[in-house]
Amino acid sequence: MAGRKRAVVTGGAGFLGSHLCARLLADGYEVLCLDNFVTGEPGNVAHLAETGPFRMVRADVTDYVHVAGDVDLVLHFASPASPVDYLRLPIHTMKVGAVGTLHTLGLAREKGARFLLASTSETYGDPQIHPQPESYWGHVNPVGPRGVYDEAKRFAEALTMAYRRTHGVDTAIVRIFNTYGPRMRPDDGRAIPTFIRQALAGEPLTVAGDGKQTRSVCYVDDLVEGILRLAGSALPGPVNIGNPHEYTVLELAECIRDTIGSASAIEFVPRPEDDPTVRQPDITLARTQLGWEPVVPLEEGLVPTIAWIRAAVGGTSEGPQ
Ligand code: NAD
């Protein structure tokens, strides 16, 4: 179709990337997904080829990135993202944040495309101010085990700004806060899928520490809307996108157990090293500059998420697409 815009999504076969590809197609884009399937899988996006001009290519963006033809938008989402994954793949996580970001910025520069980096609230580390505005520089331990993820993303942000300042690339940085929804892996170690899997199996819900540490969780549809608004704006960011409604981890566990109607007990287990104590986005910038705020309450977003995890652990492919 003449005039159709073209987007390249790295990490497009992952949890967030797959939702992003679907939404871009729905918005009329042609979409090219580049993924090496280290934590994502082709099955997350296989259905998209039926819904529009979608192509998936197996590629490791740390090797090189080459795309023929015009590109309007490059969304760099490739990176292990859950602690289980980046602690298992520490060097790859640093490489994809550094070399992978270099290559995808090069693609945006070559094509004159807008570039959007998926950064993270983890750039704030274990924050000393609360909630976290974009102006906060963070409190990160570079030599702790989580440093591989946090510092890779901080490096990626600095590199993005260097390309903007040096080469005039039209860049944007989104700092994504914890997001949940269908297509999360039941065993990815993040709190919500773990609690859902445990509650469905009638096993104890393993809450780290005393469970009083907080998390703010955003439903994936809300996140994707915020990202698309940032992509469509001229803002460089960083812009926080997340749901400011803050829960203790214990409250999250109890809410999931109650929604499922499970009789699981709560079991307290040791907290991981450098686990952040609090986490809440200040979304003033997204509200005022993008007119964005999340609209899906936890109780509502949990329903399709639970259905997805139920299907995934049941070995069926009947999860919602
Ligand atoms: P995910 O693990 O489901 O997806 C990441 C995808 O990147 C996977 O499909 C994986 O195979 C791919 N990938 C990894 N290395 C690659 C490489 N070298 N070349 C090509 N593909 C590669 O994780 P997600 O939760 O969807 O996260 C996506 C992005 O969003 C990540 O950059 C992550 O840091 C960021 N993010 C996610 C969250 C969240 O709550 N899910 C929060 C903050 C930031």
Side-chain angles (χ1 to χ4, degrees), residues 190-259:
R190 292 185 260 206
I192 288 185
T194 304
F195 292 151
I196 293 175
R197 182 171 48 76
Q198 292 169 332
L200 288 172
E203 292 168 3
L205 273 54
T206 48
V207 170
D210 59 8
K212 290 191 182 136
Q213 66 277 25
T214 66
R215 297 292 181 267
S216 305
V217 293
C218 186
Y219 187 62
V220 64
D221 289 356
D222 280 336
L223 179 91
V224 168
E225 175 65 32
I227 287 170
L228 264 290
R229 286 196 192 199
L230 176 58
S233 78
L235 284 188
V239 177
N240 289 340
I241 298 285
N243 191 323
H245 193 127
E246 193 178 7
Y247 297 87
T248 68
V249 171
L250 184 58
E251 282 168 347
L252 269 179
E254 288 170 345
C255 179
I256 288 169
R257 183 178 61 176
D258 294 348
T259 307

Side-chain angles (χ1 to χ4, degrees), residues 33 40 103 159 165 193 197 229 236 245 317:
C33 157
H103 290 160
L159 190 62
R165 294 186 181 111
R197 182 171 48 76
R229 286 196 192 199
H245 193 127
S317 57

Side-chain angles (χ1 to χ4, degrees), residues 119 124 134-135 157 161 172-175 230 236-240 285:
S119 187
Y124 300 124
E134 292 85 350
S135 54
E157 289 196 7
M161 292 308 295
I173 297 169
V174 56
R175 290 197 181 134
L230 176 58
V239 177
N240 289 340
L285 194 60

Side-chain angles (χ1 to χ4, degrees), residues 67-279:
V67 175
D70 292 342
V71 177
D72 301 284
L73 182 61
V74 176
L75 302 123
H76 181 34
F77 276 65
S79 170
S82 89
V84 167
D85 292 330
Y86 63 70
L87 295 177
R88 177 173 60 89
L89 301 162
I91 296 171
H92 181 75
T93 301
M94 299 219 72
K95 268 180 80 180
V96 74
V99 184
T101 304
L102 186 76
H103 290 160
T104 46
L105 277 162
L107 175 70
R109 183 184 178 204
E110 176 200 337
K111 305 290 184 184
R114 181 152 164 86
F115 174 89
L116 188 143
L117 172 71
S119 187
T120 170
S121 58
E122 301 300 326
T123 58
Y124 300 124
D126 190 5
Q128 291 160 311
I129 63 164
H130 192 65
Q132 294 81 54
E134 292 85 350
S135 54
Y136 177 51
W137 292 356
H139 183 229
V140 170
N141 176 5
V143 295
R146 299 172 69 107
V148 296
Y149 182 65
D150 306 357
E151 296 293 13
K153 292 291 185 180
R154 290 167 68 96
F155 178 91
E157 289 196 7
L159 190 62
T160 301
M161 292 308 295
Y163 262 68
R164 182 180 184 86
R165 294 186 181 111
T166 309
H167 295 310
V169 176
D170 177 15
T171 60
I173 297 169
V174 56
R175 290 197 181 134
I176 301 169
F177 282 65
N178 290 340
T179 302
Y180 69 99
R183 292 204 280 277
M184 295 187 93
R185 303 195 321 272
D187 59 352
D188 82 356
R190 292 185 260 206
I192 288 185
T194 304
F195 292 151
I196 293 175
R197 182 171 48 76
Q198 292 169 332
L200 288 172
E203 292 168 3
L205 273 54
T206 48
V207 170
D210 59 8
K212 290 191 182 136
Q213 66 277 25
T214 66
R215 297 292 181 267
S216 305
V217 293
C218 186
Y219 187 62
V220 64
D221 289 356
D222 280 336
L223 179 91
V224 168
E225 175 65 32
I227 287 170
L228 264 290
R229 286 196 192 199
L230 176 58
S233 78
L235 284 188
V239 177
N240 289 340
I241 298 285
N243 191 323
H245 193 127
E246 193 178 7
Y247 297 87
T248 68
V249 171
L250 184 58
E251 282 168 347
L252 269 179
E254 288 170 345
C255 179
I256 288 169
R257 183 178 61 176
D258 294 348
T259 307
I260 290 175
S262 157
S264 290
I266 302 282
E267 183 182 318
F268 294 96
V269 298
R271 266 179 80 184
E273 196 172 327
D274 297 333
D275 187 41
T277 305
V278 288
R279 186 62 90 224

Side-chain angles (χ1 to χ4, degrees), residues 14-16 35-36 38-40 60-61 77 92 149 153 179 190:
F15 161 50
L16 297 183
D35 204 298
N36 67 350
V38 69
T39 57
D60 184 334
V61 298
F77 276 65
H92 181 75
Y149 182 65
K153 292 291 185 180
T179 302
R190 292 185 260 206

